[in-house]
């Protein structure tokens, strides 16, 4: 009996409290009566079988009725104050949108697993220098030894990026791809979409040439034709048989790889220990940790280094998770973005809170009246909750749209080297988390007015016309929220300022050449065809002489690789008359150039002469060096006539040119050595000049069609790639920074605006609450000036407190940003001063309207209202 | 006579027809209250007796209906209470409102009309 009654009472909690208060007792009495009338165990059971569904369905219906009522009421209320509704929704949307977009990016770049089986068991291996920690590729010989000697891995494979001319598909074109060892794809654990993967036999020296296509290329070039298997594709003029197509979401090693071939090393590929060009990837054996593998590999690299002391001195090995092998800079750029988004979210939440608090004060009377008319506190809470939820959900929806619109703009922050799809999918978890935060803020502060619903307070509220009893505590809370907003916007402003200054500083860096008015393009000569230097010569001569004849062209030249387009091509250097220091061998960046390269690029010739036609295969081998090279070996003396061994030949120095930032604006580069394009004995044809630079007096892109025609005349099969102004190459250096700054600037502007609105609303409210006081003051002789001062002072105090806190936080943020600042001090006084001044101006602007309203108070009306 | 009542109802309660057709439970409750003021459990028993226990209202259904009917003005809470020795102070008594009577009559007319048509089409026995 008693249990039944308790159970019934518990079930009544399915109803809203107001319903329980109204009918709970009666329902229990009615149930009790029926329970008494029920006879026997079966009667009781039958009663329960009937009662349970009756209670549950009716409770749900009652809840639904109340919800519908609340929704209708909330919608009416919001429609009646559209300004508030729009402000609240857009503030929520900005917070949610910014955070979702930023977190989605971070998740995509830093966290999302690669599209392979058990990707967290895959590691990337590098050679490292024991002294300076640089990491670089491996030679096939070392790779073979690493693979044979290690026990930590169930498989170890290698790849290298390749770029090939593809012909036989309409216009010849140049595509990126990778050359892999036979077991690579099986190790990654992927299945082909069509055909088969490579196997060990495909990778043998004598194996027929085979190629696997990416899904994208299969669709673009073959329209998804399933009969593509077995067809022949010409890569650099050599026939390759198509054996497979990879699935849609497969990317390896980077997003832009379109096709894959096998290494097919010849026996002589294993002769040179310094022929470093492959990247090994391995899969850890079950139970082996990355640390264990790392330790083992350091030991193995040490053993090999001792066996080849001349080539491999100071060489060790690095092992790290494949997922972690993205640049620290890309990570930091994203972290900054995420921090800024969080800042915006914080500011949005505080602003929302502020807005709701202000509204709460305005609605005190409405709620007091409703309470007096008998609305229970629970009903009011529920009502407010519904209203807040409507606002938050609308904000969430708009925020999602915002994030969706913003993502494509952020994509340029994703390093192309990641094997992931270009546009990340919006992350619903993040969206939910951000929406939840905004909802929590919205409901938390939205409920405050309802929670105050104590009868006595209500009575007071009605009694004194809702004028006094402002709730000094609440006003202080609002002031604190505004301070947080000001502080947050100061942090964003300072970060934006510091990064802007860093960008300016980087853009001001002299790359060592003049990029304006220079058009560049690449004609990578396919190798079996142009293997011998003599065969390449007519091509260069034709292109260069014709290009120079074009109207407006001042100079034209070929080089192995343009600066910034290719940071590699580094060779060890030996200087005549100095004993070779194996342990600390110095290196330089080596380029083969045609005459006029320095004039074309605007690299100053400091001493001696340029390469010329006469520096042929049969003439004495010559070289030009950069100023840094000269300083390194012959500080204060002329290097002309001295001899260096670089690029497998002894060469006499004939000139000195200015230093160039080969590795990019923000990185220090090795000193440079330039040699004649004709003196390339014993050097891989990979160094054969392929990048053409043309200096013109007008718009460089206008030369495009003429240059295409010239190249076609020289060799109709020869594809052209990477045609772009040199200035674009330099601008690409700062691209990700500019995107980041744009985002940060937008975030900063939003935060700034929100903070200004926050200050405005706090002061406007304070003024409206103090109308009587102001009236009395004026009646007692206070001047407009005093009233103005009083209001502005309130705003000023808020601003000073906020700015002080903001500066302290911005100092911390600056420290975290330091590595992105390109030498700008994280405590750069000018930036801080500018940010503080801006924040101050914002405060004053925000307090202006309320101050004017305060001055306009008419003492007689204000006092009469009393 | 019947027509006079209908005309008077129509004049006093022009909205009565809007609530038709009445949910069965509502009509049963109105019928239960036609015999005098009742509290919740009494309504349940009354309906059960009237229908030979074919319709035994659950408390959830009953009170949800009562609340809706209060809102619609079909019934009202009764201030008259029985003698204290018979009363339970937790109980609330309900009585049918004039509007409720008008609606119940309108529903009855609607049902009668329906039955008349059913007879005319041979679905039910009796005189059309």
């Amino acid at each position: 009996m008693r249990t039944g009654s308790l159970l019934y009472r518990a079930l009544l909690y399915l109803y809203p409290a107001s319903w329980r208060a109204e009918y709970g007792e009666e329902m229990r009495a009615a149930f009790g009566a029926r329970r008494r009338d029920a006879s026997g165990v079966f009667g009781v059971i039958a009663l329960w079988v009937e009662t349970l569904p009756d209670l549950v369905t009716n409770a749900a219906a009652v809840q639904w009725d109340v919800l519908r009522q609340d929704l209708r009421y909330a919608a009416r209320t919001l429609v009646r104050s559209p300004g508030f509704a729009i402000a609240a929704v857009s503030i929520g949307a900005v917070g949610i949108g910014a955070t979702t977009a930023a977190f989605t990016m971070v998740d995509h770049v830093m966290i999302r697993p690669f599209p392979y089986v058990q990707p967290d068991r895959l590691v990337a291996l590098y050679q490292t220098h024991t002294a300076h920690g640089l990491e670089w590729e491996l030679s096939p010989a070392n790779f073979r030894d690493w693979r044979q000697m290690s026990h930590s891995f169930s498989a170890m494979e290698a790849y290298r990026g390749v770029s090939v001319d593809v012909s036989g598909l309409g216009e010849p074109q140049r595509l990126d791809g990778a050359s892999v060892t036979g077991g690579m794809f099986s190790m990654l654990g992927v299945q082909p979409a069509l055909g088969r993967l490579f196997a060990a036999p495909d990778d043998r020296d004598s194996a027929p040439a085979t190629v696997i296509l990416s899904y994208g290329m299969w669709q673009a070039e073959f329209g998804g034709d399933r009969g593509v298997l077995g067809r022949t594709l010409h890569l650099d003029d050599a026939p390759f048989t198509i054996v497979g197509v990879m699935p849609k979401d497969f990317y390896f090693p980077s997003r832009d790889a379109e096709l894959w071939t096998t290494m097919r090393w010849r026996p002589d590929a294993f002769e040179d220990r310094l022929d470093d060009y492959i990247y090994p990837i391995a899969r850890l054996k079950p139970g082996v940790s990355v640390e264990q593998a790392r330790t083992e590999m350091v030991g193995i690299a040490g053993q090999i280094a001792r066996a080849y002391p001349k080539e491999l001195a100071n060489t060790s090995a690095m092992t790290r998770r494949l997922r972690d092998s993205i640049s620290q800079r890309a990570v930091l750029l994203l972290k900054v973005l995420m921090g800024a988004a969080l800042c915006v979210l914080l500011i949005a939440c505080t602003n929302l809170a502020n807005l709701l608090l202000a509204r709460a004060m305005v609605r005190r009377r409405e709620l007091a009246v409703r309470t007096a008319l008998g609305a229970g506190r629970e009903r009011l809470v529920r009502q407010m909750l519904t209203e807040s939820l409507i606002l938050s959900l609308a904000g969430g929806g708009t925020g999602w749209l915002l994030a969706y619109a913003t993502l494509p703009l952020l994509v340029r922050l994703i390093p192309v080297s990641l094997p992931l799809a270009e546009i990340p999918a919006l992350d619903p978890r993040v969206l939910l988390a951000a929406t939840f935060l905004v909802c929590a803020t919205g409901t938390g502060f939205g409920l405050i007015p309802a929670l105050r619903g104590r009868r006595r307070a209500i009575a007071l509220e009605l009694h004194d016309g809702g004028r006094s009893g402002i709730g000094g505590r609440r006003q202080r809370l609002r002031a604190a929220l505004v301070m947080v907003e000001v502080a947050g916007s100061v942090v964003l402003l300072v970060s934006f300022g510091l990064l802007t200054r860093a960008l300016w500083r980087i853009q001001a860096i002299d790359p060592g050449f003049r990029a304006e008015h220079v058009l560049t393009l690449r004609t990578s000569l396919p190798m079996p065809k142009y293997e011998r230097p003599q065969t390449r010569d007519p091509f260069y001569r034709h292109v260069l002489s014709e290009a120079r004849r074009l109207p407006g062209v001042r100079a034209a030249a070929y080089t192995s690789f343009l600066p910034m387009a290719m940071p590699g091509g580094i060779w060890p250097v030996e200087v005549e008359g100095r004993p070779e220091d194996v342990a600390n061998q110095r290196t330089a960046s080596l380029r083969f150039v045609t005459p006029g390269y320095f004039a074309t690029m605007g690299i100053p010739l400091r001493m001696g002469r340029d390469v010329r036609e006469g520096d042929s295969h049969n003439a004495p081998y010559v070289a030009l060096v950069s100023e840094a090279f000269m300083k390194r070996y012959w500080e204060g003396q002329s290097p002309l006539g001295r001899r260096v061994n670089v690029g497998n030949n002894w060469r006499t120095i004939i000139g000195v040119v200015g230093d160039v930032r080969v590795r990019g604006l923000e990185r220090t580069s090795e000193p440079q050595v330039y040699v004649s394009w004709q003196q390339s004995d014993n050097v891989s044809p990979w160094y054969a000049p392929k990048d053409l630079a043309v200096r013109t007096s007008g718009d460089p892109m206008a030369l495009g069609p003429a240059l295409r025609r010239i190249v076609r005349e020289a060799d109709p099969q020869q594809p052209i790639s990477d045609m772009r102004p040199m200035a674009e190459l330099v601008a690409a250096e700062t691209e990700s920074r500019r995107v980041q700054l744009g985002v940060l600037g937008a975030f900063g502007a939003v935060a700034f605006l929100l903070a200004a609105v926050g200050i405005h609303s706090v002061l406007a409210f304070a003024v409206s609450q103090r109308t009587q006081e102001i009236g009395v003051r004026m009646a007692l002789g206070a001047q407009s000036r005093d009233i103005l001062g009083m209001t502005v002072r309130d705003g000023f105090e808020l601003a000073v407190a906020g700015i002080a806190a903001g500066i302290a936080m911005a100092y911390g943020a600056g420290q975290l940003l330091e590595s992105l600042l390109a030498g700008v001090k994280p405590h750069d006084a000018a930036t801080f001063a500018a940010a503080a001044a801006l924040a101050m101006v914002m405060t004053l602007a925000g307090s202006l309207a309320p101050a004017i309203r305060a001055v306009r108070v008419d003492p007689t009306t204000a006092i009469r209202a009393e | 006579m019947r027509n006079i009542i209908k005309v008077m109802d129509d004049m006093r309660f022009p909205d009565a027809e809007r609530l038709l057709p009445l949910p069965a439970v509502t009509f049963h409750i109105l019928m239960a209250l036609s015999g005098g003021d009742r509290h919740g459990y009494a309504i349940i028993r009354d309906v059960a007796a009237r229908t030979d226990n074919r319709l035994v209202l659950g408390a959830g259904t009953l009170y949800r209906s009562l609340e809706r009917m209060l809102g619609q003005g079909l019934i009202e809470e009764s201030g008259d209470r029985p003698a204290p020795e018979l009363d339970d102070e937790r109980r609330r008594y309900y009585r049918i409102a004039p509007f409720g009577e008008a609606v119940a009559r309108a529903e009855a007319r609607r049902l009668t009309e329906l039955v008349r048509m059913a007879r005319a089409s041979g679905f039910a026995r009796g005189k059309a």
Side-chain angles (χ1 to χ4, degrees):
Chain A
M1 177 79 198
R2 203 172 142 61
T3 337
S5 149
L6 276 178
L7 179 60
Y8 196 84
R9 188 196 283 250
L11 283 171
L12 283 178
Y13 275 87
L14 291 172
Y15 284 89
S18 53
W19 174 280
R20 265 202 316 281
E22 191 85 14
Y23 301 109
E25 283 287 310
E26 280 189 80
M27 288 175 70
R28 281 172 55 211
F31 176 76
R34 285 198 63 189
R35 174 78 179 68
R36 275 191 299 278
D37 292 351
S39 53
V41 180
F42 288 110
V44 173
I45 291 176
L47 176 62
W48 273 109
V49 166
E50 197 187 303
T51 301
L52 272 179
D54 172 65
L55 267 187
V56 172
T57 53
N58 281 294
V62 167
Q63 296 279 13
W64 172 240
D65 286 345
V66 173
L67 179 66
R68 264 198 332 210
Q69 227 176 57
D70 284 349
L71 282 175
R72 247 198 322 272
Y73 186 82
R76 263 209 312 273
T77 324
L78 291 178
V79 166
R80 241 185 286 130
S81 41
F84 164 77
I86 290 171
V89 167
S90 35
I91 289 169
V94 165
I96 293 173
T99 326
T100 308
F103 271 98
T104 300
M105 290 285 298
V106 169
D107 170 73
H108 189 70
V109 173
M110 291 162 60
I111 300 161
R112 177 160 308 198
F114 286 160
Y116 316 130
V117 168
Q118 291 194 326
D120 56 322
R121 302 297 294 164
L122 292 171
V123 293
L125 304 161
Y126 306 89
Q127 292 196 108
T128 61
H129 194 277
T130 48
H132 52 62
L134 270 183
E135 293 175 354
W136 70 93
E137 307 84 338
L138 212 60
S139 61
N142 280 359
F143 169 67
R144 191 174 57 182
D145 289 349
W146 282 16
R147 174 141 80 170
Q148 278 165 5
M149 294 164 78
S150 61
H151 302 286
S152 300
F153 311 107
S154 56
M156 188 192 291
E157 303 291 337
Y159 73 90
R160 68 166 166 139
V162 295
S163 195
V164 289
D165 294 339
V166 180
S167 49
L169 297 170
E171 274 281 295
Q173 51 180 325
R174 189 149 190 90
L175 291 179
D176 290 321
S179 192
V180 298
T181 49
M184 178 63 91
F185 290 160
S186 345
M187 181 184 76
L188 295 178
V190 283
Q191 292 303 316
L194 196 65
R196 61 175 180 90
L197 299 176
F198 292 131
D202 293 308
D203 195 20
R204 292 207 188 103
D205 171 20
S206 54
T210 48
V211 60
I212 292 180
L213 307 181
S214 72
Y215 190 87
M217 181 182 177
W218 180 49
Q219 291 294 328
E221 301 297 335
F222 297 95
D225 175 14
R226 299 185 72 84
V228 74
L229 297 179
R231 280 173 65 175
T232 302
L233 207 59
H234 284 267
L235 307 182
D236 284 344
D237 278 347
F240 281 72
T241 306
I242 300 173
V243 296
V245 174
M246 294 309 280
K248 197 169 185 178
D249 296 322
F250 177 79
Y251 302 93
F252 179 85
S254 61
R255 190 161 70 215
D256 50 7
E258 299 274 26
L259 46 84
W260 298 274
T261 61
T262 47
M263 296 277 195
R264 293 186 299 147
W265 279 315
R266 282 182 289 194
D268 61 1
F270 298 99
E271 281 165 12
D272 187 355
R273 292 266 160 192
L274 287 178
D275 193 11
D276 300 327
Y277 64 88
I278 62 168
Y279 295 90
I281 294 178
R283 186 175 283 283
L284 293 169
K285 268 186 194 161
V288 177
S289 71
V290 178
E291 291 69 31
Q292 287 166 335
R294 190 176 297 148
T295 313
E296 190 199 11
M297 288 317 296
V298 167
I300 290 173
Q303 274 181 49
I304 301 175
R306 281 190 293 281
Y308 302 93
K310 189 169 181 310
E311 294 99 326
L312 299 179
N314 289 334
T315 303
S316 183
M318 183 61 201
T319 308
R320 80 162 66 90
R321 243 176 252 290
L322 188 59
R323 194 68 183 87
D324 298 338
S325 52
I326 43 172
S327 89
Q328 290 310 300
R329 226 192 81 143
V331 170
L332 191 56
L333 278 171
L334 284 168
K335 281 186 178 162
V336 172
L337 184 71
M338 192 169 88
L342 279 179
C343 219
V344 169
L345 185 63
L346 175 78
I347 291 175
C349 282
T350 47
N351 214 316
L352 193 61
N354 222 330
L355 204 62
L356 290 167
L357 280 178
R359 186 168 162 78
M361 303 218 197
V362 174
R363 291 181 77 181
R364 278 175 312 166
R365 278 186 67 86
E366 175 203 331
L367 294 178
V369 169
R370 290 184 64 191
T371 312
L373 289 179
R377 180 150 145 201
E378 174 259 355
R379 285 292 295 120
L380 289 184
V381 168
R382 199 171 157 155
Q383 169 62 48
M384 298 286 123
L385 208 62
T386 313
E387 195 178 306
S388 308
L389 274 177
I390 289 184
L391 287 176
S392 309
L393 290 180
T398 322
W400 189 83
L401 287 178
L402 211 63
Y404 193 77
T406 328
L407 263 187
L409 305 178
L410 299 182
V411 163
R412 282 177 290 179
L413 289 176
I414 302 179
V416 75
S417 59
L418 282 179
L420 292 169
E422 184 166 11
I423 305 230
L426 271 184
D427 192 331
R429 290 167 302 162
V430 177
L431 187 72
L432 279 181
T435 310
F436 174 78
L437 196 60
V438 171
C439 283
T441 312
T443 46
F445 285 89
L447 282 183
I448 284 183
L451 293 178
R452 279 170 49 95
R454 284 185 213 96
R455 302 267 165 190
R456 201 154 48 92
I458 298 291
L460 271 175
E461 207 82 73
L462 287 176
H463 176 69
D464 59 26
R467 178 182 48 75
S468 60
I470 297 163
R473 187 144 41 94
R474 191 112 44 94
Q475 189 64 3
R476 274 203 299 282
L477 175 58
R478 297 195 61 199
L481 288 174
V482 167
M483 273 166 47
V484 171
E485 286 173 40
V486 173
S489 53
V490 166
V491 172
L492 282 177
L493 283 174
V494 167
S495 311
F496 178 71
L498 288 175
L499 288 167
T500 306
R501 292 199 58 152
L503 177 66
W504 288 346
R505 180 173 283 208
I506 292 160
Q507 282 173 336
I509 290 173
D510 179 8
F513 53 85
R514 307 275 79 82
E516 305 74 34
H517 298 295
V518 174
L519 180 65
T520 70
L521 60 84
R522 175 166 290 182
T523 51
S524 304
L525 301 176
M527 266 327 144
K529 181 173 168 187
Y530 286 106
E531 190 101 44
R532 292 184 19 251
Q534 291 86 328
T535 55
R536 301 197 282 263
D537 238 33
F539 179 85
Y540 295 139
R541 282 182 207 287
H542 178 88
V543 171
L544 288 176
S545 64
E546 289 298 315
R548 285 176 190 134
R549 220 175 284 157
L550 292 173
V553 169
R554 300 228 167 116
Y558 260 103
T559 177
S560 309
F561 313 102
L562 286 167
M564 296 178 187
M566 220 308 274
I570 310 298
W571 286 71
V573 174
E574 197 182 337
V575 173
E576 193 174 47
R578 289 180 194 233
E580 199 177 344
D581 181 358
V582 173
N584 294 304
Q585 189 153 45
R586 299 285 185 90
T587 55
S589 129
L590 179 68
R591 300 289 184 262
F592 288 80
V593 298
T594 63
Y597 174 69
F598 305 105
T600 309
M601 291 296 289
I603 301 169
L605 182 65
R606 303 282 188 217
M607 217 182 273
R609 66 164 178 90
D610 189 4
V611 169
R612 62 186 173 214
E613 288 288 335
D615 296 325
S616 67
H617 181 64
N618 306 316
Y621 275 30
V622 295
L624 285 97
V625 297
S626 69
E627 285 175 303
F629 191 97
M630 173 176 80
K631 283 208 190 88
R632 183 197 279 178
Y633 298 102
W634 307 285
E635 179 71 71
Q637 301 169 39
S638 166
L640 298 185
R642 300 187 194 257
R643 279 160 43 93
V644 292
N645 189 337
V646 59
N648 292 334
N649 285 289
W650 283 99
R651 301 166 194 268
T652 307
I653 296 175
I654 54 163
V656 178
V657 291
D659 289 311
V660 167
R661 298 247 174 188
V662 177
R663 284 183 177 272
L665 287 178
E666 292 184 61
R667 297 177 65 182
T668 51
S669 300
E670 292 86 355
Q672 296 97 47
V673 176
Y674 302 93
V675 301
S676 167
W677 86 108
Q678 299 180 86
Q679 301 176 337
S680 58
D681 271 22
N682 305 324
V683 178
S684 151
W686 187 56
Y687 282 89
K690 48 174 69 81
D691 285 349
L692 171 67
V694 181
R695 176 170 290 276
T696 161
S697 52
D699 171 21
M701 279 317 275
L703 289 176
L707 287 175
R708 281 188 189 281
R709 175 180 53 78
I710 292 170
V711 170
R712 204 156 47 231
E713 283 165 11
D715 179 351
Q717 296 299 313
Q718 178 59 46
I720 295 176
S721 64
D722 304 277
M723 183 184 281
R724 57 190 160 181
M726 189 69 205
E728 200 177 294
L729 240 160
V730 180
E733 286 284 303
T734 49
E735 164 92 13
S736 59
R737 274 181 179 278
R738 277 178 287 132
V739 171
Q740 186 200 32
L741 264 187
V743 175
L744 210 59
F747 284 3
V750 166
F752 194 73
L753 216 65
L754 289 181
V757 169
I759 286 177
H760 171 88
S761 69
V762 165
L763 291 182
F765 185 77
V767 167
S768 75
Q769 292 295 306
R770 289 169 72 179
T771 309
Q772 285 93 346
E773 180 202 328
I774 293 169
V776 171
R777 277 172 190 260
M778 288 178 114
L780 292 179
Q783 300 295 304
S784 306
R785 187 161 22 91
D786 304 325
I787 303 299
L788 193 72
M790 187 179 82
T791 313
V792 172
R793 196 166 50 242
D794 283 353
F796 186 77
E797 278 168 8
L798 281 181
V800 168
I803 291 172
I807 282 182
M809 290 192 286
Y811 184 78
Q815 302 291 329
L816 299 176
L817 287 178
E818 186 152 19
S819 68
L820 282 179
L821 291 184
V824 175
K825 290 275 161 285
H827 48 79
D828 184 61
T831 309
F832 276 79
L838 255 175
M840 194 58 84
V841 167
M842 165 189 81
T843 315
L844 293 181
S847 47
L848 204 59
I852 290 173
R853 209 174 304 150
V855 172
R856 291 234 182 105
V857 166
D858 176 4
T860 46
T861 350
I863 297 171
R864 197 173 301 135
E866 189 84 345
Chain B
M1 180 64 187
R2 212 189 274 164
N3 279 338
I4 296 171
I5 293 174
K6 178 179 178 331
V7 170
M8 282 175 63
D9 278 353
D10 284 352
M11 279 163 57
R12 283 177 65 202
F13 306 107
D15 311 350
E17 305 265 339
R18 277 220 334 244
L19 293 179
L20 305 189
L22 276 188
V25 171
T26 306
F27 198 35
H28 275 292
I29 294 173
L30 287 175
M31 287 190 285
L33 291 178
S34 68
D37 298 5
R38 299 257 190 287
H39 58 75
Y41 185 56
I43 298 175
I44 295 177
R45 271 198 327 221
D46 196 294
V47 172
R50 198 183 300 276
T51 61
D52 261 349
N53 278 332
R54 278 196 307 274
L55 179 62
V56 181
L57 296 175
T61 308
L62 175 72
Y63 283 98
R64 192 161 112 73
S65 300
L66 287 176
E67 201 207 21
R68 205 182 42 231
M69 291 166 75
L70 282 168
Q72 289 169 330
L74 297 176
I75 57 172
E76 47 204 28
E77 275 193 50
S78 158
D80 307 334
R81 310 205 54 119
E85 63 274 14
L86 296 174
D87 193 15
D88 179 339
E89 66 165 45
R90 292 185 302 182
R91 284 182 182 159
R92 254 192 254 187
Y93 286 78
Y94 300 92
R95 83 168 151 234
I96 190 160
F99 179 59
E101 286 173 0
V103 170
R105 278 196 293 271
E107 175 72 358
R109 273 197 301 276
R110 188 184 69 83
L111 292 173
T112 313
E113 187 66 5
L114 216 55
V115 171
R116 196 181 58 75
M117 287 187 280
R119 283 186 178 140
S121 56
F123 285 139
R125 279 185 301 166
K127 211 169 72 180

